[in-house]
Amino acid sequence: MPVQPSLNAPTPLHALPQAVSGAAPHPLAAIPCLGSRDAAWLDALAAQGRFARYGAGDIARGPGAGETAVGFVLAGVMRISLPADRHGDVTFFDTAAGGLFGHLDALAGLAPTLSAVAQTGTDVFILPADRFTALLQSEPAIALALLQDLATDLVTRTPRPLAADTGQAGTALYADLLRMAEPDTASEGGLIISRLPRHRELAAMCGLDEQTVAAGLAALVKSGCAERQYPGLRILDPAYLRALASGTPATD
């Protein structure tokens, strides 16, 4: 009989749906390295984290959004974006059901460096970094399976720069953001967009797809150039945004 996860259970952050402990497949069974465990074991693991559901274009709260945690994709697809480099390019790759994101930061003990944007309706189980490392320490077979998956990814996956797929897409998006921005009275020299259009509206304005818009906005936030202030967007570094819009981002 599989050993229960040797984790100190905190108060669950999310009550599992009734179907989880019934005859229906357990949501965590969608993760290959966990699928062979019984429902009781998976319930014990589920109590260590929380479940979240995102719509297409939503930026994930959790890994890469101020929290060092690991996201297990249960259904759908998450586009993982790394911070923009000095040329304004965003490197990204897609993680489908059964995959993880945020685990490298968690293992390295680093502050989050990625952004995650749902490409479709996407379900994610979010496990805090300390719970994740405790799981690997107590379950060598799971640790080995994840290490093998990571090795396969490193050998076969080639992250793509966003600009390579979209040409001047980033320039178009950033230029439109500048046109919508107004002086920010709360920040000397800053700019603000009081109401940021939805991704779909921005995509139509810029002639882009929603995924490109979502990734571009996420990159601005991760780079420190902007911050979300719902329902708007505050531009903290207008000079950098102007450089991106012109296609000649400033260097450090």
Side-chain angles (χ1 to χ4, degrees):
M1 179 176 179
V3 179
Q4 295 291 322
S6 56
L7 307 175
N8 296 321
T11 301
L13 298 176
H14 186 286
L16 290 174
Q18 289 297 113
V20 167
S21 56
H26 197 290
L28 293 181
I31 307 301
C33 66
L34 305 178
S36 63
R37 302 307 177 101
D38 62 27
W41 191 97
L42 294 174
D43 278 347
L45 178 61
Q48 312 305 310
R50 67 184 188 275
F51 292 85
R53 175 165 292 172
Y54 300 99
D58 287 348
I59 298 176
R61 303 287 183 181
E67 177 184 359
T68 304
V70 179
F72 295 76
V73 181
L74 307 178
V77 178
M78 274 289 179
R79 175 157 294 177
I80 311 305
S81 304
L82 301 180
D85 62 21
R86 65 179 57 195
H87 302 296
D89 291 337
V90 178
T91 300
F92 72 94
F93 50 86
D94 292 338
T95 299
L100 284 71
F101 61 96
H103 50 302
L104 297 182
D105 288 337
L107 288 172
L110 299 175
T113 58
L114 60 84
S115 295
V117 180
Q119 301 303 288
T120 63
T122 302
D123 294 335
V124 178
F125 173 63
I126 299 172
L127 188 65
D130 61 337
R131 303 292 88 198
F132 178 70
T133 54
L135 172 65
L136 299 188
Q137 289 170 350
S138 64
E139 299 289 344
I142 292 177
L144 178 59
L146 291 177
L147 182 60
Q148 291 171 332
D149 287 344
L150 177 59
T152 300
D153 282 347
L154 291 175
V155 171
T156 62
R157 175 185 285 165
T158 302
R160 297 169 289 167
L162 190 61
D165 284 347
T166 61
Q168 296 300 312
T171 300
L173 171 62
Y174 302 137
D176 276 338
L177 291 177
L178 278 174
R179 281 193 286 271
M180 288 184 281
E182 300 175 340
D184 184 1
T185 57
S187 174
E188 184 177 356
L191 298 173
I192 190 168
I193 300 172
S194 299
R195 180 197 171 277
L196 185 69
R198 292 179 177 274
H199 292 165
R200 184 178 306 168
E201 296 169 340
L202 276 174
M205 292 168 56
C206 304
L208 308 175
D209 57 61
E210 292 182 53
Q211 291 81 7
T212 299
V213 167
L217 291 174
L220 285 181
V221 172
K222 289 299 296 181
S223 70
C225 177
E227 67 178 7
R228 288 307 305 265
Q229 187 175 40
Y230 294 95
L233 182 75
R234 171 165 278 133
I235 310 301
L236 304 176
D237 190 346
Y240 185 67
L241 182 59
R242 292 188 184 97
L244 289 176
S246 69
T248 55
T251 57
D252 295 334

